[in-house]
Amino acid sequence: MQSRQNELRERMTILGEVDADSFIPWIRRHADKLGLSQSFFHIGADKIELEVAGPVELIDMLEMGCSLGPIDVWVDEIQRRIVDIADTPQA
């Protein structure tokens, strides 16, 4: 399966004080509004890891939104890396 041009899959790691119950639904809601697919891999008090897929400009927008986040979280850093399609097991 080939993705459209300008679309990426990225692993996003959000570091900081991210343990508020509101943050995961907030991320899901904003990713949905941007048309990005998302899968969460780790949810903890100081780190959230998710994979997002879509146009790079929209992933950039999600990153900016997460860095500003809801009032009850504090994001110190967001790390991103491109995920190679070959790295993902095919069903």
Side-chain angles (χ1 to χ4, degrees):
M1 184 171 156
Q2 207 171 20
S3 63
R4 290 182 281 175
Q5 193 172 9
N6 257 3
E7 290 204 358
L8 291 177
R9 288 186 40 227
E10 290 193 21
R11 177 67 65 108
M12 188 177 287
T13 303
I14 304 169
L15 303 168
E17 295 173 28
V18 295
D19 60 347
D21 290 338
S22 64
F23 199 31
I24 298 303
W26 188 94
I27 294 170
R28 289 187 198 279
R29 187 170 56 254
H30 287 279
D32 288 344
K33 283 182 183 179
L34 293 169
L36 300 172
S37 64
Q38 74 270 334
S39 299
F40 287 83
F41 294 99
H42 175 83
I43 298 171
D46 59 353
K47 178 171 77 170
I48 296 171
E49 284 186 282
L50 67 149
E51 190 173 290
V52 294
V56 67
E57 296 85 2
L58 297 179
I59 296 173
D60 291 344
M61 290 175 71
L62 180 64
E63 177 186 6
M64 178 60 71
C66 288
S67 69
L68 299 172
I71 193 77
D72 51 352
V73 301
W74 183 262
V75 174
D76 289 323
E77 180 182 0
I78 297 177
Q79 302 168 351
R80 288 170 53 180
R81 73 173 175 84
I82 295 173
V83 176
D84 189 346
I85 300 283
D87 291 343
T88 303
Q90 300 296 316

